């Protein structure tokens, strides 16, 4: 599940942090939106769930190609949260140059963390080794994608800030007109994306199997295309651009499509290939590549818009009406595009229908949390998730990237699989329920996620926050 193992917690760190560090400064509660922290914490918990239990429950993992499973909502939720936090973060800026500097520095930090954690250097938690061949390092990743989307929309927010008055002009669509330049950027992104995926010619291509654990390691295969406008795994323009610009050796070696019906005998992560599997089943593919990352900015734009609504509309009812209507419209539009076969839901291609469905659901989920927490005052029932959301970079690195589990697994007795974590899973969950899949699921829900909620709570009590 390395293709979903990423997250960034910068999105609502207020005020803007001075460097990547642990800070003992408590965030100003008057400048935070509790429901946004909780939504972030819930999304981190969802990430841990699908990452650690998805191998046993295929419907939790990423869809092999078209369609969306539970894991496919993690990335767009984070992009949405990042976008919604931008107006809240920059609404009080006094120096444009200072804000630009902080934005660029933060983006560079995200890129660095992304390469370190997803480039292939860390083999945690299962393999007790580190290191990556620079000829095969993976340059793209989810942190890098978030960095790009954040950079684009943060700079847009900064440069257009002086043009936006605090009070909205009259009119039902006034908030759209007020930020028309940002919607124009979104429209341009969509036009370019559609023009490329449907208009670019994709020729035949070759690849060498670089997975040392594969029986086909070192073999060269040819994939026949010579088409344009295809959205299948083998001959889409998004993969072609990544192969030409990034280089095929720097792409993700274990794409979700390997679990598709055309490739494997079962939709499991370790299922063997069928003897009749097409050659592209063994090829690499970058799910966080160049063109799909450009398209992913649309998810952030949606979040930015909801953040603008929160800033400009002061009444809870007015905010909720706008958020829910927009969420329903996006959800319906995306489903219509998918089920009419106009454009399928596809996370790896980051199609427009996928943007609409995931952004619509994100808006509706956030609205529900906002009602429970900010309107009804039921925050106490979500406190562990709020703590995780306020220290999500810590939880991401330690839990989702497996750094903490890798450290614990490094202390074993007689056998590398005889560790504390494996013992707890085997004797307290799997053995009790006599089921590997049920035991792992319950371990993640009732042991791993609560553990990190407690850890985040302790850090919150000590007023220690890992900021970017």
């Amino acid at each position: 599940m390395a293709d979903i193992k990423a997250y960034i917690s910068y999105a609502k760190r207020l005020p803007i942090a001075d460097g990547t560090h642990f800070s003992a400064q408590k965030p100003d509660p008057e400048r935070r939106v509790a429901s946004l922290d909780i939504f972030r914490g819930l999304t981190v918990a969802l990430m841990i769930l699908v990452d650690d239990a998805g191998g046993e429950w295929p419907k939790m993992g990423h869809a092999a190609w078209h369609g969306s499973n539970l894991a496919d909502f993690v990335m767009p939720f984070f992009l949405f949260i990042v976008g919604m936090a931008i107006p809240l973060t920059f609404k009080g800026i006094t120096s444009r140059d200072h804000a630009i500097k902080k934005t660029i520095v933060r983006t560079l930090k995200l890129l660095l963390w992304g390469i370190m954690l997803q480039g292939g250097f860390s083999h945690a938690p299962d393999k007790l080794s580190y290191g990556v061949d620079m000829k095969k390092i993976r340059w793209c990743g989810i942190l890098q994608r978030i960095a790009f989307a954040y950079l684009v929309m943060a700079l847009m927010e900064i440069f257009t800030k002086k043009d936006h008055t605090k009070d909205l002009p009259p009119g039902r669509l006034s908030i759209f007109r007020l930020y028309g330049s940002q919607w124009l950027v979104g429209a341009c992104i969509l036009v370019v994306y559609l023009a490329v995926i449907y208009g670019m010619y994709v020729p035949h291509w070759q690849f060498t199997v670089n997975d040392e654990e594969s029986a086909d390691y070192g073999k060269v295969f040819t994939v026949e295309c010579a088409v344009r406008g295809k959205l299948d795994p083998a001959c889409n323009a998004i993969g072609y651009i990544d192969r030409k610009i990034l280089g095929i050796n720097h792409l993700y070696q274990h794409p979700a499509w390997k679990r598709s019906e055309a490739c494997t005998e079962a939709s499991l992560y370790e299922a063997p290939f069928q003897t009749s599997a097409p050659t592209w089943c063994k090829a690499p593919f970058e799910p966080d590549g160049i063109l799909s990352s450009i398209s992913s900015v649309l998810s952030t734009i949606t979040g930015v818009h909801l953040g603008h609504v929160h800033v400009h509309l002061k009444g809870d009812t007015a905010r909720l009406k706008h958020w829910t209507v927009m969420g329903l419209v996006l959800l319906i539009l995306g489903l219509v595009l998918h089920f009419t076969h106009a454009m399928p839901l596809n996370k790896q291609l980051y199609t427009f229908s996928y943007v609409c469905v995931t952004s619509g659901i994100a808006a509706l989920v956030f609205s529900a949390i906002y009602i429970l927490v900010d309107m009804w005052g039921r925050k106490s029932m979500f406190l562990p998730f709020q703590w995780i959301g306020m220290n999500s970079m810590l939880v991401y690195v330690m839990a989702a990237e497996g750094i903490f589990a890798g450290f614990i697994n490094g202390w074993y007795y007689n056998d590398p699989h005889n560790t504390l974590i494996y013992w707890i899973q085997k004797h307290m969950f799997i053995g009790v329920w006599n089921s590997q899949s049920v035991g792992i699921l319950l371990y993640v829900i009732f042991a791993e996620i609560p553990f990190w909620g407690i850890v985040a709570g302790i850090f919150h009590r000590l007023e220690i926050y890992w900021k970017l």
Side-chain angles (χ1 to χ4, degrees):
M1 295 293 290
D3 52 336
I4 66 171
K5 284 186 175 181
Y7 171 61
I8 176 63
S9 69
Y10 76 89
K12 192 61 176 69
R13 290 292 166 269
L14 300 173
I16 297 176
D18 293 324
T20 303
H21 62 289
F22 282 97
S23 171
Q25 178 184 5
K26 188 173 182 178
D28 184 356
E30 295 183 357
R31 299 186 64 194
R32 300 190 69 91
V33 179
S35 49
L36 192 59
D37 281 328
I38 292 169
F39 189 18
R40 185 186 302 108
L42 284 168
T43 307
V44 173
L46 175 62
M47 173 184 60
I48 296 173
L49 175 65
V50 299
D51 187 42
D52 292 349
E56 300 294 332
W57 299 84
K59 287 299 181 181
M60 286 188 181
H62 288 294
W65 194 243
H66 294 326
S68 290
N69 291 348
L70 191 58
D72 296 309
F73 290 93
V74 174
M75 181 72 253
F77 278 12
F78 283 138
L79 287 170
F80 175 90
I81 293 168
V82 166
M84 190 167 184
I86 287 175
L88 305 175
T89 302
F90 292 111
K91 67 179 180 180
I93 61 172
T94 57
S95 170
R96 174 180 288 182
D97 292 340
H98 180 73
I100 293 173
K101 177 183 176 182
K102 291 297 182 182
T103 298
I104 294 175
V105 170
R106 178 172 289 170
T107 300
L108 293 176
K109 291 175 183 176
L110 289 174
L111 292 173
L112 178 62
W113 275 107
I115 293 173
M116 288 176 58
L117 294 171
Q118 287 201 286
F121 179 80
S122 173
H123 306 159
D126 297 320
K127 296 183 179 179
L128 305 180
S129 61
Y130 294 89
V132 60
D133 184 349
M134 291 299 293
K135 295 188 298 183
K136 301 177 183 178
I137 189 172
R138 183 186 177 196
W139 294 116
C140 292
I142 296 182
L143 283 178
Q144 296 91 311
R145 168 172 288 179
I146 295 179
F148 175 73
Y150 167 72
L151 178 66
V152 172
M153 294 311 302
L155 291 179
M156 281 287 296
E157 188 74 10
I158 293 169
F159 280 108
T160 60
K161 194 68 181 176
K162 67 179 182 179
D163 300 326
H164 305 147
T165 59
K166 186 174 182 180
D167 296 326
L168 283 176
R172 183 170 297 180
L173 301 178
S174 58
I175 194 167
F176 291 96
R177 294 195 298 269
L178 186 62
Y179 295 94
S181 58
Q182 295 183 2
W183 289 109
L184 179 61
V185 169
C188 291
I189 289 173
L190 179 58
V191 170
V192 170
Y193 174 82
L194 295 176
V196 172
I197 65 170
Y198 288 115
M200 178 171 284
Y201 176 79
V202 179
H204 303 319
W205 53 283
Q206 291 184 330
F207 69 94
T208 303
V209 177
N210 290 322
D211 184 1
E212 296 182 358
E213 298 179 358
S214 172
D216 296 312
Y217 175 68
K219 293 183 179 180
V220 179
F221 294 92
T222 299
V223 180
E224 297 184 355
C225 291
V227 295
R228 67 178 79 240
K230 292 289 186 179
L231 300 182
D232 59 4
C235 301
N236 62 82
I238 289 178
Y240 173 65
I241 291 174
D242 291 336
R243 291 191 295 271
K244 296 298 290 185
I245 297 178
L246 299 174
I248 196 166
N249 290 333
H250 298 285
L251 307 183
Y252 184 50
Q253 298 296 318
H254 304 283
W257 73 30
K258 292 189 176 184
R259 294 182 284 106
S260 64
E261 294 181 359
C263 297
T264 61
E265 299 174 357
S267 59
L268 300 174
Y269 286 97
E270 302 299 330
F273 285 123
Q274 298 186 45
T275 55
S276 60
T279 56
W280 55 262
C281 291
K282 305 171 184 179
F285 180 82
E286 183 50 70
D288 304 305
I290 296 172
L291 187 59
S292 58
S293 291
I294 294 175
S295 175
S296 72
V297 175
L298 298 173
S299 295
T300 309
I301 291 177
T302 306
V304 169
H305 177 74
L306 266 70
H308 288 151
V309 171
H310 189 281
V311 170
H312 290 284
L313 302 183
K314 301 307 178 184
D316 290 332
T317 302
R319 290 170 176 171
L320 283 171
K321 181 179 178 181
H322 193 108
W323 291 337
T324 54
V325 169
M326 187 170 185
L328 288 172
V329 169
L330 287 172
L331 176 60
I332 293 171
L333 175 59
L335 292 176
V336 168
L337 289 173
H338 176 72
F339 287 107
T340 59
H341 305 290
M343 179 174 286
L345 294 172
N346 192 301
K347 185 265 180 186
Q348 299 181 74
L349 299 179
Y350 223 98
T351 55
F352 181 60
S353 57
Y354 173 75
V355 171
C356 291
V357 168
T358 54
S359 296
I361 293 178
L364 295 175
V365 171
F366 175 78
S367 298
I369 297 173
Y370 188 85
I371 293 173
L372 291 171
V373 175
D374 291 276
M375 294 179 62
W376 294 356
R378 305 292 176 85
K379 185 170 70 172
S380 58
M381 62 188 295
F382 295 104
L383 274 179
F385 299 109
Q386 184 180 16
W387 295 334
I388 292 175
M390 296 175 71
N391 227 332
S392 48
M393 187 65 183
L394 171 71
V395 180
Y396 158 62
V397 173
M398 293 292 123
E401 276 300 318
I403 300 301
F404 180 79
F407 172 79
I408 297 298
N409 288 342
W411 304 88
Y412 59 88
Y413 185 79
N414 194 43
D415 183 89
H417 289 282
N418 190 19
T419 69
L420 177 61
I421 293 177
Y422 285 117
W423 188 93
I424 292 174
Q425 291 176 345
K426 180 178 179 180
H427 295 283
M428 299 182 66
F429 292 94
I430 297 174
V432 171
W433 291 91
N434 198 29
S435 169
Q436 174 82 9
S437 56
V438 173
I440 292 297
L441 178 63
L442 295 179
Y443 163 78
V444 175
I445 294 175
F446 294 107
E448 187 174 8
I449 293 175
F451 170 80
W452 287 109
I454 294 171
V455 170
I458 293 172
F459 274 72
H460 174 66
R461 183 66 179 268
L462 298 174
E463 300 183 4
I464 298 175
Y465 305 93
W466 188 347
K467 302 178 181 181
L468 288 179

